[in-house]
Structures are given as C-alpha cells and as structure tokens.
Amino acid sequence: RMQMDYDAGNKAAKPNIRSYNVLIGCWAKSNSPDAPREAVKLLDTIIAKYKSADLDEGPNVVTYSSVMTAYAKQGDVVGAQKVFDRMQMDYYAGNKAAKPDIRSYNVLIDCWAKSNRPDAPRGAEKLLDTMIDKQKSGDLDESPNAVTYNSVMSAYAKQGDVVGAQKVLDRMQMDYDAGNKAAKPTIRSYSVLID
C-alpha cells in the first residue's frame, strides 16, 4: 500500500531501506515455510531498486541479517550461508553498510544450532573461532557475547554432547575472565547443560 500511495503521487510515502527491513523482519519472524523465499525476493527488490536509483540506500547488515533469520528459523544452514556470503560480497564491493556484525554471525551460529545436521556443533564452533579471529584483526567490531556462546553450546547439547557443550562454557568463562564482559555466562548458559 505504501508503494501504491507513492506511485499515486505522494512523494512522502516513498519506501526506504527501513520500510523494506521491517517487511523482511516480519517474514523472518513468521512461521511461514515461504518466509526465506519471500525475504530473498525482497532483498533482490531492494538491490534492483537501488541500482535503478529508485531507492536511496542499498541493503544493510540489518537487511541481510533479517533474511538470514528467515532461513535460521527453519534450520536451513545452506540458505543462511548463501545470504551471509552475499552480504560479505556486497561489503567487499564497497557497501560499507553491509559489513557483517556480531548479530549476523550470531544468526548464522543459531542456524547451525537449530539445524539437524550432524556437523552442526563443529560448524557453529568454527564460526565462533572465525569471530574471535576477525575481532582480533579488527574486522569485527565486537567480541563474541553470551548469545554467541550459548548458541554454540546449544548445537552441542542438541546432539547430546555434554562434553562439547561444557568445553564451550569453559571457553566462555575464560573469555569473560580475560576481560570480555559481553561473554559473561548467563542462566541460559548453565541451563543448556542441564537440559
């Protein structure tokens, strides 16, 4: 309707990146099996409109992370990874607003945790290692946080690997003790081990 209003002459109703991000976010939060496909269609629309100058801004990290969330909700690691790869390519092509951040990595790790893949724990922990390396090199502005560690622990716990989950909790505690206050274990951290 907003687009129709704009097309009818109301220039103040021109959709912007925030409008599209809200719509993608709605799809991402829905339980619709079509959510990933619809979110990607909106992402493609944003890119096309930006290239044709019908949109003032291109997709940003919120856009990409929201599309990834639509895949993560269904445990579709391949789909989420493809969107993450698109975001990285867009960033390296010059779109500084598409720089992957802690949220985008956390979405991808959560996707691994929700998947039923046998390699889910290793995939999630590999991303944790990547985040730590990128943060140390300055390519990631934030260190892994409690959400990050809890999601990796969940990937292990989902497969009944208590030892793996405990090792991640130990890493989390060491990271916190080394000064990363965002890595402070939470009640959720411990409940993952109990459940």
Side-chain angles (χ1 to χ4, degrees), residues 14-187:
K14 182 179 181 181
N16 59 31
I17 192 64
R18 284 163 293 292
S19 311
Y20 282 101
N21 285 349
V22 167
L23 189 53
I24 291 171
C26 289
W27 276 112
K29 291 174 186 165
S30 77
N31 289 320
S32 171
D34 296 332
R37 182 175 49 80
E38 294 298 327
V40 168
K41 280 175 36 180
L42 286 165
L43 173 61
D44 291 339
T45 298
I46 291 167
I47 292 169
K49 285 184 173 284
Y50 179 66
K51 285 182 179 178
S52 69
D54 288 335
L55 194 60
D56 297 332
E57 299 173 73
N60 58 33
V61 68
V62 174
T63 312
Y64 285 108
S65 295
S66 296
V67 176
M68 288 168 52
T69 299
Y71 283 101
K73 191 150 188 171
Q74 297 183 10
D76 184 347
V77 173
V78 173
Q81 184 67 54
K82 284 180 182 177
V83 175
F84 186 84
D85 293 345
R86 283 180 74 176
M87 176 173 51
Q88 283 189 308
M89 287 190 309
D90 193 12
Y91 173 69
Y92 292 129
N95 180 357
K96 299 304 177 199
K99 182 179 181 182
D101 65 4
I102 189 101
R103 178 175 180 250
S104 50
Y105 277 98
N106 283 348
V107 169
L108 197 51
I109 289 172
D110 184 53
C111 186
W112 276 100
K114 288 179 178 169
S115 76
N116 290 319
R117 294 173 53 138
D119 59 341
R122 186 62 209 131
E125 193 160 9
K126 185 177 174 187
L127 280 167
L128 171 61
D129 294 338
T130 298
M131 290 174 71
I132 291 169
D133 291 344
K134 286 191 172 286
Q135 196 277 326
K136 285 179 181 175
S137 71
D139 290 333
L140 186 62
D141 297 331
E142 300 172 77
S143 297
N145 58 25
V147 172
T148 311
Y149 284 102
N150 290 345
S151 293
V152 177
M153 288 172 52
S154 292
Y156 280 101
K158 187 172 183 182
Q159 295 191 6
D161 186 348
V162 178
V163 173
Q166 179 65 54
K167 286 180 180 178
V168 175
L169 179 61
D170 293 344
R171 283 182 73 179
M172 181 182 194
Q173 185 64 54
M174 287 186 340
D175 193 13
Y176 174 70
D177 291 344
N180 179 4
K181 298 307 177 198
K184 182 177 183 179
T186 64
I187 291 175

